[in-house]
Amino acid sequence: MKELLQKLTQVPSPSGYESAIREVILSEIKPHVSEIRVDTMGNLIVRKGARTEGGLRIMIAAHMDEIGVIVSHIEKNGLARFSNIGSVFPRYLAGSRVRFLNGVIGVVDSDKPHDLSKLQPISQFFIDTGATSEKESPVKPGDLGVFDREFVDFGQRVVSKAMDDRASCALVIEAIKRLSSTPHELNFVFSVQEEVQSRGATTAAYGLDLDLGIAVDVTPVGNIGGMKMQVNLGDGPAIKIRDVGFIADPRVVDWMIATAKKARIPHQLEVLTIGTTDARVMQISRAGMMSGVLSIPCRYVHSPSEMIDMNDYEHSIDLLVALLSNPFPLEK
Amino acid sequence: METRKNRMSTSQIKLLEELSNAVGVSGDEGRIRQIVRREIEPYVDEIKVDAMGNLLAVKHAARPDAPRILLAAHMDEVGFMLVQEDGDGLFAFEPVGGIDPRQLLAKPVLVGKDSIPGVIGGKPIHLSNPDERKNAPSLESMRIDIGPAGKASPGDYATFATRFQRRGDSLFGKALDDRMGVASLIELARDNPGTLEILFAFTVQEEVGLRGARVAAFDFEPEMAFVIDSTPAFDLPLPEDVENTQYNCKLGGGPAIYLSDAGTLSDPRLIQFLVRLAEENRIPYQFRQPGGGGTDAGAIHITRRGIPSVSISIPGRYAHTPILHAKLSDWQKTLTLLRLVIRHADRSILEYHR
């Protein structure tokens, strides 16, 4: 189970450039699904099951992309200036390493700060690829990279770059493999460009036009670093109530809670005050789609070292399988 | 492709002058639309004004089942709207689109449908102290002054009064963002390769949130989209030991191809297509530095099931101020590249997945 997490998190695929991770995911799920396609934006959409009595047409989204950098200028001395792809926090930058899609590694540092009490903007950071001049630079403007950090197995907890959202990709893959029967038509969307306002889920949701949506994503946790939040690492999958861009459909929330209770899966409720997920755009696509979010608690989200707890992960798989195996209790 | 045939003619520059001088602030693009209609109507097969005010035109391909390609440029410009009359010809106002208040004081403006001359008044140096002069003035402290004889009312639009001028390779004018794009699309409408179904969207309300492009793209549902806009060049000299790393793009550097902005990650397949065309035909080009900002592509590419999109901008210094400085040669190179686009774009560009 950790092997798949390690495999997926280590693939470099920033927003807009997801072809590498898409190939890896495709190779994992190919034998287990009935229909596979890649849409215009690059979303990988696979189908499993057919709608029967009491079933719905459901979209399950986990995003393939990760935050990253894009080169904007090569200085005469060979240093690369860059811009962010997605929410890259300057506080994590200095001292980190970047891996470009062409394999080049670079180290990140900043211009000498004028005021140590203030965070510097990204424009004051640069990437050093070891090049001695602009001409020798192994990267050029437009080249993309991601944060480079290996997978570490602590036992119960694991850490890597891109747990956001490869942990969800991995858990959805596991759920696809385990699902034996479903009353629903399940449309799994491994979405692109979530980190840049969920652009992939926007077009995928429009194209599919379904009844119910579940986004699977990581969520930050409270109880460390002064973050006001009830979600704890290790307390089980989080059922989202609300985030900055989204209020979960109470019917979906109730269904998730009831399913977790029935299957005796530990779970917690999530109210997030920073960030949002693909469910934001799914819910308001076309004439609207009932939507909810299954979240994996994660420490240090959008840092190069994102940590999850394997108990949360395994219980999240159990919950997703339980949800998708049973009918949705529609109002009469 | 740098042939005599590709040089901009006097009549093309005259048309750009007319477009630049015409007033069409976001939401009030009628006058621009009239010019565009007059210029393209004889050359296109279909033309209509949609519910938002976009001018949408179609030029059919010579063969059925040709790829449907969208070319978009926005007709609107940034400006002002009067919000309150304070008497004596003085009006409080709000900006329409992104405008930096520091650039407003003492600027001549044109107000309302009759283009009444006025000025955004500033405190004269006689009366201001050195401290005041260090701070940015607030919008609330400014008024548009048309004098008591002028007739205007809250709800009227206003814009900068700058007249178009050409000096050699340099073009100066208001609203060249994006009337150069509009003028480019007019040229392309007159061109006729016949290989593509070409969909022209002269869009409204780009400067206030890409509102026109959203519905235009929904209506057309094209297979790919090229957005022609204007992007700032911030390439003024810096002290000798300082390297300019944040210039966005450079005047004279040719068409600026977008990679990443606040609204779009350009489709890499279309970026590669443009780069290949430019390199094979020795057209100088540049990448607009990845960063913030955005174009109509931000709305177009996420419309319906997704539309592969890329933006190409003509560089211009001092965008969204009373005067923008662009280069005729950059416009010409951009147009040359676009003429190649409508000759060579086909479905093979998209035959592999993004």
Side-chain angles (χ1 to χ4, degrees):
Chain A
M1 201 168 288
K2 285 174 182 168
E3 291 72 35
L4 182 60
L5 271 174
Q6 175 161 12
K7 189 175 173 185
L8 295 190
T9 50
Q10 288 299 300
V11 179
S13 282
S15 309
Y17 294 76
E18 295 90 351
S19 55
I21 183 66
R22 188 171 60 224
E23 287 309 310
V24 176
I25 292 174
L26 192 52
S27 69
E28 289 288 332
I29 55 176
K30 219 168 191 168
H32 306 279
V33 293
S34 63
E35 194 186 314
I36 297 168
R37 63 195 175 84
V38 177
D39 76 1
T40 300
M41 293 284 277
N43 294 303
L44 172 62
I45 302 172
V46 300
R47 187 174 292 175
K48 188 175 174 116
R51 186 182 162 182
T52 55
E53 186 67 31
L56 295 176
R57 299 176 68 229
I58 302 180
M59 169 171 174
I60 303 99
H63 69 89
M64 297 190 287
D65 62 316
E66 65 187 296
I67 57 169
V69 296
I70 181 167
V71 175
S72 59
H73 175 78
I74 307 295
E75 292 191 28
K76 290 189 184 75
N77 59 17
L79 298 178
R81 296 283 165 170
F82 62 97
S83 179
N84 56 302
I85 299 287
S87 281
V88 172
F89 299 134
R91 70 174 184 275
Y92 291 129
L93 282 175
S96 68
R97 291 185 184 183
V98 165
R99 179 185 294 272
F100 288 95
L101 299 188
N102 63 5
V104 169
I105 302 281
V107 299
V108 186
D109 206 354
S110 71
D111 299 336
K112 186 172 166 287
H114 296 297
D115 181 353
L116 282 169
S117 67
K118 280 190 184 142
L119 276 175
Q120 292 171 279
I122 283 182
S123 58
Q124 289 180 18
F125 288 82
F126 53 78
I127 299 167
D128 188 340
T129 57
T132 53
S133 69
E134 180 186 356
K135 215 173 139 235
E136 301 297 320
S137 174
V139 294
K140 56 187 191 312
D143 282 349
L144 287 105
V146 299
F147 293 98
D148 187 46
R149 204 61 65 94
E150 73 275 25
F151 182 92
V152 182
D153 180 0
F154 294 122
Q156 187 181 332
R157 291 175 175 181
V158 292
V159 67
S160 175
K161 75 151 184 89
M163 276 303 175
D164 176 7
D165 192 28
R166 305 290 164 68
S168 302
C169 293
L171 97 77
V172 170
I173 291 170
E174 297 283 2
I176 289 173
K177 290 178 181 172
R178 286 189 207 174
L179 261 171
S180 51
S181 72
T182 176
H184 308 292
E185 177 195 309
L186 302 176
N187 296 271
F188 295 93
V189 177
F190 296 92
S191 64
V192 297
Q193 300 194 35
E194 190 273 348
E195 299 292 359
V196 289
Q197 299 118 41
S198 293
R199 296 174 195 155
T202 302
T203 61
Y206 183 94
L208 288 166
D209 194 11
L210 306 176
D211 308 317
L212 173 71
I214 302 170
V216 188
D217 209 330
V218 298
T219 192
V221 294
N223 289 336
I224 53 164
M227 171 98 174
K228 274 202 189 67
M229 196 169 171
Q230 199 71 57
V231 174
N232 291 319
L233 196 66
D235 283 1
I239 294 165
K240 191 185 293 276
I241 307 291
R242 185 185 175 183
D243 64 30
V244 174
F246 174 76
I247 298 170
D249 192 307
R251 294 167 291 185
V252 179
V253 171
D254 291 348
W255 171 56
M256 286 181 164
I257 293 171
T259 305
K261 279 184 177 160
K262 196 175 165 200
R264 300 217 168 86
I265 299 166
H267 59 281
Q268 44 190 335
L269 301 181
E270 172 202 345
V271 179
L272 178 63
T273 55
I274 45 164
T276 186
T277 74
D278 276 344
R280 174 182 66 87
V281 298
M282 290 155 63
Q283 186 177 43
I284 54 172
S285 179
R286 290 191 186 242
M289 173 156 68
M290 279 192 293
S291 298
V293 179
L294 174 59
S295 297
I296 310 173
C298 180
R299 281 184 184 169
Y300 325 121
V301 173
H302 284 207
S303 85
S305 296
E306 298 174 325
M307 182 188 289
I308 65 162
D309 186 295
M310 289 308 290
N311 287 335
D312 292 341
Y313 176 74
E314 286 171 35
H315 286 132
S316 298
I317 301 170
D318 294 340
L319 180 53
L320 187 59
V321 171
L323 287 167
L324 301 181
S325 302
N326 296 297
F328 182 86
L330 276 177
E331 275 173 42
K332 289 288 182 307
Chain B
M1 287 294 283
E2 293 291 318
T3 61
R4 183 172 294 274
K5 188 174 149 281
N6 289 312
R7 296 251 173 83
M8 307 307 289
S9 67
T10 313
S11 67
Q12 287 170 317
I13 296 166
K14 274 274 162 220
L15 177 61
L16 181 64
E17 174 168 0
E18 184 185 4
L19 285 166
S20 175
N21 288 344
V23 179
V25 178
S26 311
D28 184 33
E29 298 87 352
R31 274 163 289 205
I32 315 305
R33 193 164 54 227
Q34 280 171 16
I35 299 171
V36 176
R37 181 189 277 277
R38 182 193 76 205
E39 292 295 322
I40 67 168
E41 201 147 24
Y43 301 96
V44 297
D45 300 306
E46 294 173 28
I47 191 163
K48 71 169 181 184
V49 179
D50 75 6
M52 288 282 287
N54 295 305
L55 185 71
L56 305 180
V58 182
K59 210 169 164 67
H60 292 313
R63 61 186 171 86
D65 197 38
R68 293 162 53 78
I69 167 180
L70 172 64
L71 303 174
H74 68 90
M75 295 190 288
D76 61 316
E77 66 190 286
V78 296
F80 314 98
M81 183 175 278
L82 307 188
V83 294
Q84 183 190 303
E85 186 168 6
D86 290 339
D88 202 28
L90 293 166
F91 290 87
F93 64 95
E94 279 288 311
V96 177
I99 296 180
D100 181 346
R102 291 176 304 166
Q103 290 155 344
L104 292 186
L105 286 184
K107 301 302 191 300
V109 294
L110 299 172
V111 179
K113 286 191 170 54
D114 300 325
S115 291
I116 297 164
V119 65
I120 299 172
K123 197 175 195 178
I125 192 166
H126 313 64
L127 307 177
S128 66
N129 63 45
D131 269 356
E132 275 182 297
R133 293 199 291 271
K134 276 184 206 144
N135 295 323
S138 74
L139 211 56
E140 293 71 37
S141 70
M142 297 180 201
R143 292 293 180 273
I144 287 178
D145 185 350
I146 59 170
K151 283 251 181 312
S153 61
D156 281 353
Y157 284 95
T159 189
F160 297 115
T162 318
R163 301 285 88 187
F164 179 88
Q165 289 185 61
R166 178 191 170 192
R167 291 278 176 277
D169 195 30
S170 288
L171 308 170
F172 298 94
K174 75 164 183 69
L176 288 175
D177 171 7
D178 183 29
R179 303 290 156 70
M180 280 191 298
V182 170
S184 303
L185 254 61
I186 291 172
E187 293 303 323
L188 296 170
R190 293 167 170 169
D191 200 350
N192 192 13
T195 47
L196 299 167
E197 187 85 352
I198 308 181
L199 316 165
F200 294 91
F202 296 88
T203 63
V204 297
Q205 302 193 33
E206 190 269 353
E207 299 290 4
V208 290
L210 323 180
R211 297 177 195 160
R214 193 179 308 275
V215 300
F218 189 93
D219 189 355
F220 273 144
E221 204 175 358
E223 290 169 65
M224 60 183 99
F226 296 83
V227 176
I228 322 307
D229 209 329
S230 164
T231 194
F234 191 65
D235 53 352
L236 300 184
L238 291 176
E240 232 168 76
D241 58 334
V242 180
E243 182 167 342
N244 186 351
T245 64
Q246 312 287 332
Y247 39 83
N248 191 54
C249 75
K250 291 175 178 172
L251 212 59
I257 299 169
Y258 283 59
L259 306 164
S260 163
D261 63 34
T264 316
L265 291 159
S266 297
D267 195 300
R269 297 168 295 188
L270 299 188
I271 296 171
Q272 281 160 25
F273 169 62
L274 291 175
V275 166
R276 180 170 59 79
L277 280 183
E279 288 180 351
E280 283 175 5
N281 294 280
R282 296 201 193 87
I283 303 165
Y285 69 95
Q286 54 188 326
F287 289 127
R288 174 197 180 271
Q289 284 190 296
T295 72
D296 274 341
I300 293 167
H301 86 286
I302 51 170
T303 296
R304 290 186 184 254
R305 289 167 176 80
I307 297 162
S309 304
V310 68
S311 301
I312 306 159
S313 270
I314 302 159
R317 286 186 190 145
Y318 326 122
H320 291 207
T321 73
I323 194 156
L324 185 143
H325 175 192
K327 288 247 160 110
L328 188 60
S329 51
D330 282 332
W331 183 27
Q332 177 188 309
K333 285 166 191 151
T334 306
L335 199 48
T336 305
L337 180 59
L338 292 170
R339 288 190 200 282
L340 288 164
V341 166
I342 61 171
R343 277 166 179 75
H344 297 282
D346 61 36
R347 293 195 179 106
S348 71
I349 301 168
L350 304 174
E351 72 188 0
Y352 65 94
H353 294 310
R354 173 174 185 166

